[in-house]
Amino acid sequence: MIEMLLPYVRAFLVGGLLCVIAQVLIDKTKLTPARILVLYVVAGVFLGAVGLYEPLVKFAGAGATTPLTGFGYLIAKGVREAVDEQGLLGAFTGGIGAAAGGIAAALVLGYLACLLFKGKSKS
C-alpha cells in the first residue's frame, strides 16, 4: 500500500518545495512574481540542458514536470532532440514543438474560462 502512494508523496514534496522556494523569493526579495516565473523557466532550461533535471523528473514525476521549471526542462529537451534530428534548424523549432500541447491547452482553456466567467476589475 505504501509503495503505491510513494510516487504521489514524492510528487507532492518536490512540487511543494518548488512552490515554497518561489514564495520565499516573493516574500524575502524585491523580485516581482513575473521575474520569479522567468527565473524558474530559465532554471528549468539550464538544468535540463546540463542533464540535472532528468533525474529529478524520474524521481518526482509530475511534481517536477508540472511547475514552470518543468516547462523549461521540456523546452530544453525538445531543442536537444530536434537538433539531433534536424541539425541547427532544430534549435529554433524544437522547443516550440515539444511544448505545443501545453501551450495549446493553456490557450484553449484560458479562452473557455473567459467565455464562461465574467472578470471583475479590482477597483
Side-chain angles (χ1 to χ4, degrees), residues 5-107:
L5 295 176
L6 197 56
Y8 298 105
V9 171
R10 288 191 298 227
F12 176 77
L13 291 175
V14 170
L17 180 63
L18 289 169
C19 293
V20 165
I21 292 169
Q23 190 64 49
V24 168
L25 289 172
I26 289 171
D27 292 344
K28 301 294 182 184
T29 69
K30 293 186 179 193
L31 291 172
T32 63
R35 289 183 181 192
I36 294 168
L37 296 176
V38 170
L39 176 71
Y40 265 46
V41 172
V42 171
V45 169
F46 177 76
L47 293 173
V50 297
L52 295 176
Y53 207 77
E54 184 73 27
L56 186 62
V57 168
K58 288 181 179 175
F59 174 77
T65 59
T66 303
L68 286 170
T69 50
F71 181 69
Y73 158 76
L74 180 65
I75 290 171
K77 183 178 177 184
V79 167
R80 186 173 42 249
E81 290 172 358
V83 167
D84 290 343
E85 293 174 11
Q86 303 169 357
L88 183 59
L89 181 63
F92 299 105
T93 62
I96 298 298
I103 293 169
L107 290 172

